[in-house]
Amino acid sequence: MKAYLALFALLFALPVHAGWQLDPDRSRVDATIIELTDNGPVEHQHRVRELRGDISEDGILTLPLRLNQTDVLDRLGPLPPWLSGITDMPLATLNTQLPPERLDALDIGESMVETLMFSVRADGGLQQEPVDLRFTREDLNTVRVTTAEAVALDGQEMMANSTVRSVLTMLGYQRIGDEVPVVLDAILVNR
């Protein structure tokens, strides 16, 4: 009988590979865009909020980014009815891989830095970029994910993407700087 109780207790003590997923209410990316004007550079802060994505059992995270997750609509107001359909279309889709057991193995208060290879599919193209992320276990079911080092997107590549260029043009940006620094602050929850 003691052996059964010990086995039962052991099963509950083993890490469970439940569904780690982003908490959209607490997950965002902040970006700094430098608009190049005739009067000199002008800094603009932007945010992509409500990041949504699940880490599958094999460790794949798929993260679609849509126009309605950005602060663009807050700044522009409602789009005309003939453009309203684009607000829910993905601007880009990011994919990466992180085995969920790596998250499960973190003790509360412990951090790890991982270099993840992100694949970014946008405007018919595919790019891959390594990104250093810090994972910090806040409690049994919560891991905070932040950028571990400075990350900047290529401004010229952003302007080469027709969808992104259209959004930036709607904001009135004709030219932007070569680098767009971004900061990730996201929460993964184990459900």
Side-chain angles (χ1 to χ4, degrees):
M1 181 66 145
K2 287 183 182 180
Y4 289 113
L5 289 175
L7 180 61
F8 187 70
L10 179 62
L11 288 174
F12 278 100
L14 291 174
V16 177
H17 299 297
W20 285 101
Q21 56 190 249
L22 287 166
D23 180 346
D25 293 332
R26 300 184 289 165
S27 300
R28 69 178 189 276
V29 172
D30 293 313
T32 303
I33 295 178
I34 305 297
E35 178 188 10
L36 302 177
T37 70
D38 293 339
N39 297 326
V42 178
E43 185 176 295
H44 300 277
Q45 298 296 319
H46 290 280
R47 177 168 286 170
V48 179
R49 58 187 178 265
E50 298 179 15
L51 300 179
R52 298 175 190 274
D54 300 329
I55 298 176
S56 65
E57 286 183 21
D58 58 351
I60 303 293
L61 171 66
T62 300
L63 179 62
L65 301 177
R66 294 178 168 79
L67 183 60
N68 61 6
Q69 292 174 272
T70 69
D71 59 1
V72 170
L73 298 178
D74 300 339
R75 293 170 191 241
L76 295 177
L79 294 178
W82 56 275
L83 280 177
S84 63
I86 70 166
T87 62
D88 199 37
M89 291 175 34
L91 297 172
T93 302
L94 285 70
N95 288 297
T96 192
Q97 186 163 14
L98 175 70
E101 57 269 13
R102 297 279 291 139
L103 298 175
D104 294 337
L106 281 174
D107 290 329
I108 294 174
E110 183 181 11
S111 291
M112 70 175 178
V113 174
E114 291 280 327
T115 301
L116 301 182
M117 184 60 71
F118 276 88
S119 298
V120 181
R121 185 170 302 280
D123 207 24
L126 179 69
Q127 276 188 271
Q128 292 191 328
E129 293 288 330
V131 178
D132 293 333
L133 297 177
R134 180 177 314 282
F135 297 85
T136 304
R137 187 79 174 249
E138 293 188 338
D139 60 39
L140 187 61
N141 295 312
T142 307
V143 172
R144 180 173 296 276
V145 186
T146 56
T147 42
E149 293 186 13
V151 175
L153 303 175
D154 185 311
Q156 301 316 306
E157 286 183 15
M158 289 176 66
M159 289 303 274
N161 178 304
S162 61
T163 305
V164 173
R165 184 177 57 251
S166 296
V167 170
L168 293 174
T169 301
M170 286 191 313
L171 289 168
Y173 308 158
Q174 297 304 313
R175 294 181 303 140
I176 64 171
D178 290 338
E179 291 190 343
V180 178
V182 294
V183 176
L184 172 70
D185 186 10
I187 298 292
L188 284 168
V189 290
N190 196 356
R191 304 213 186 232

